Amino acid sequence: MAKVEINTDECEGCESCVELCPEVFGFDEDTEKAYVIKPEGGPEDEIQEAIDSCPTECIYWEE
């Protein structure tokens, strides 16, 4: 089963993933980076939209 992951080294903290899918993505105010709240995922269409809208392409599916 695929899990959603974020490469936090590449995250620039735009928060678009958090806005699009807040049940799966969170934002760490201290590091100013997004992180995955639910690696098992949620609505795949919303997760895919977050992946597609990420400016640094740091969100991906891990098989």
Side-chain angles (χ1 to χ4, degrees), residues 35-53:
Y35 63 93
V36 178
I37 298 169
K38 282 178 54 179
E40 66 275 14
E44 287 192 17
D45 57 332
E46 290 179 19
I47 294 170
Q48 190 60 52
E49 188 176 353
I51 290 170
D52 294 341
S53 69

Side-chain angles (χ1 to χ4, degrees), residues 4-8 10 12-15 17 21 23-24 27 29 32-33 39 42 44 49 51-53 55 58 61 63:
V4 65
E5 300 274 344
I6 294 181
N7 179 342
T8 54
E10 294 183 21
E12 64 179 28
C14 73
E15 295 186 70
C17 60
C21 195
E23 67 189 81
V24 176
F27 190 74
E29 297 291 340
E32 297 186 345
K33 306 272 185 182
E44 287 192 17
E49 188 176 353
I51 290 170
D52 294 341
S53 69
C58 67
W61 292 109
E63 295 295 329

